[in-house]
Amino acid sequence: MPDTALEAAANQVMTCRATGQAPVVRTFFDLPTFTATHVVHDPATRACAIIDSVMDYDPASGRTDHAMAQDIVDYVTAEKLRVEWLLETHVHADHLSAAPWLQKRLGGRLGIGHAILKVQDIFGKLFNAGTRFARDGSQFDALFDDGARFTLGALPVTVLHVPGHTPADMAYVIGEAAFIGDTLFMPDYGTARADFPGGDARMLYHSIRRLLALPAETRVFLCHDYKAPGRDAFAWETTIGAERDNNVHVHDGVDENAFVQMRTARDATLSLPNLIMPSVQVNMRGGHLPEPEDNGVSYIKIPLSRS
């Protein structure tokens, strides 16, 4: 069957390149979580989106802070941008979202992929979240299906469902640029892991090959960087062509079975992210803390192994 969503995204990239409709991107890099938050705006209208924001969290004390998010507020204010969207590429397992805090100060609608319902079901059960935790995506303002289209100011946006790292990963193609979350990393670092609940290495391979079918000139913005051996600087921007030619895990010529074998073996050596317990419990709620208990305090649960 024709991939109409991908075709629409590819045509959008080519049209925007021909007409010069390129978003302006300012990236804020959070060193403790190696997360790149992208503020994307339309230069013609000053409309902007904030993609994959970060709330500061100290796991030893449980304290939260918003210094990173305040930098974004200061930038948006200084540049006279108008926030239309706060977008999440997926339910992150390595940092807590600052989207509700930013939304309160800057406005905009909070969006994520429709498959968040599956993620909420999986983790709602895992953390025994109870009946007060809604599993219907109502914590978000918009749930996107594959191929959803909208505008950011005058810039066209096409949304692609790219599961594998988690069931709900989405890529946002804005103008001629793609914001692809945790699917690919920089070409010298490879690809995202696929061993979290609901993840699937084979599915990730197909999602990546789908992204790599976008025009080679497509600018690509990543959610994380960890500096590959031999590289001294963090990086979060590349192109589809560079990923096709040089990605160490999935460049052109790497077949599905070889990738799945590599990814599965590599994932078996990885430890869990340091912030996975608080991150998932907060992010499955759209960045809101769990409901306070009768003393007015919110708590993060840690399931204990019984083996």
Side-chain angles (χ1 to χ4, degrees), residues 124-190:
K125 292 174 181 175
L126 178 63
F127 290 108
N128 195 29
T131 56
R132 290 197 298 174
F133 171 52
R135 294 160 169 81
D136 58 1
S138 56
Q139 301 89 345
F140 300 85
D141 300 309
L143 303 181
F144 299 115
D145 291 314
D146 183 54
R149 305 191 75 183
F150 58 96
T151 57
L152 180 66
L155 292 172
V157 182
T158 302
V159 185
L160 299 176
H161 185 210
V162 286
H165 173 63
T166 78
D169 283 66
M170 307 300 285
Y172 301 96
V173 183
I174 303 176
E176 42 70 76
F179 299 81
I180 64 172
D182 288 16
T183 49
L184 291 163
F185 297 139
M186 290 299 290
D188 59 359
Y189 200 87

Side-chain angles (χ1 to χ4, degrees), residues 43-99:
T45 66
R46 315 302 288 176
C48 82
I50 302 169
I51 302 176
D52 293 332
S53 62
V54 177
M55 177 170 65
D56 303 303
Y57 175 76
D58 176 19
S61 66
R63 291 192 182 94
T64 60
D65 194 8
H66 297 91
M68 172 78 166
Q70 184 61 52
D71 288 344
I72 293 173
V73 171
D74 294 345
Y75 170 75
V76 167
T77 303
E79 294 296 317
K80 297 181 172 56
L81 304 181
R82 183 181 75 259
V83 176
E84 291 189 346
W85 287 99
L86 300 111
L87 300 174
E88 300 287 348
T89 56
H90 63 294
V91 170
H92 305 274
D94 42 31
H95 71 269
L96 285 65
S97 172

Side-chain angles (χ1 to χ4, degrees), residues 211-234:
L211 288 171
L212 295 183
L214 290 168
E217 301 82 6
T218 307
R219 288 192 294 160
V220 174
F221 292 87
L222 313 173
C223 188
H224 296 287
D225 186 53
Y226 305 97
K227 286 199 295 191
R231 175 157 54 84
D232 295 330
F234 289 106

Side-chain angles (χ1 to χ4, degrees), residues 221-296:
F221 292 87
L222 313 173
C223 188
H224 296 287
D225 186 53
Y226 305 97
K227 286 199 295 191
R231 175 157 54 84
D232 295 330
F234 289 106
W236 45 77
E237 181 180 354
T238 182
T239 66
I240 289 294
E243 295 282 13
R244 283 185 204 160
D245 293 341
N246 302 312
N247 189 284
V248 294
H249 291 167
V250 71
H251 56 79
D252 284 352
V254 175
D255 69 24
E256 179 178 343
N257 289 333
F259 174 81
V260 170
Q261 182 178 13
M262 177 282 301
R263 189 69 263 172
T264 302
R266 185 177 177 86
D267 288 349
T269 70
L270 301 177
S271 58
L272 290 175
N274 292 335
L275 298 184
I276 187 170
M277 296 297 177
S279 294
V280 171
Q281 290 176 75
V282 169
N283 296 338
M284 71 183 186
R285 293 175 165 88
H288 295 281
L289 298 178
E291 287 285 336
E293 298 194 5
D294 55 12
N295 62 353

